[in-house]
Amino acid sequence: MSFRDAQQAVDRWIGQYKEGYEEVGELAREINHRFGAKPKKASEAEGSLALELADIVFVVICLANSQGIDLDEAFAAMMQKVRTRDDRRWTKK
């Protein structure tokens, strides 16, 4: 699925509701529980990093849609910038 397809799907879903979707903290909490100084309590269920990352992608798509940003174009431009900027910064395999 391209970003464009994802943006259209999210726009259709969000369009059903009066309020948008706002929430990002679960990913940070899950990473902190797994790798940081705050392990989960025994009574807490194991979370899913994959679902939390997908949640972040969903929120980014919502923000892009609200600002009229084409993520396919933005991502391509960002990759071009990184390739140009970092071409000499890293040792290639």
Side-chain angles (χ1 to χ4, degrees):
M1 174 182 278
S2 71
F3 283 121
R4 188 166 292 118
D5 292 339
Q7 284 183 261
Q8 291 170 352
V10 168
D11 191 54
R12 282 190 302 271
W13 187 84
I14 287 289
Q16 303 175 81
Y17 304 99
K18 290 181 184 176
E19 300 170 356
Y21 183 82
E22 297 180 16
E23 172 227 331
V24 178
E26 283 84 4
L27 177 62
R29 185 169 43 248
E30 191 60 37
I31 288 175
N32 197 23
H33 285 320
R34 289 182 185 215
F35 309 109
K38 291 187 90 174
K40 285 192 177 217
K41 297 175 186 172
S43 61
E44 290 182 277
E46 183 72 18
S48 168
L49 282 177
L51 289 177
E52 297 306 340
L53 284 167
D55 226 11
I56 300 298
V57 171
F58 185 88
V59 172
V60 167
I61 288 171
C62 288
L63 290 169
N65 285 350
S66 74
Q67 298 301 307
I69 295 169
D70 182 318
L71 285 175
D72 282 322
E73 289 178 11
F75 192 81
M78 184 275 308
M79 288 302 296
Q80 180 60 38
K81 175 188 79 173
V82 183
R83 285 186 192 109
T84 302
R85 181 190 69 200
D86 293 344
D87 190 42
R88 294 179 193 91
R89 287 177 65 181
W90 305 97
T91 304
K92 293 184 180 179
K93 292 181 181 179

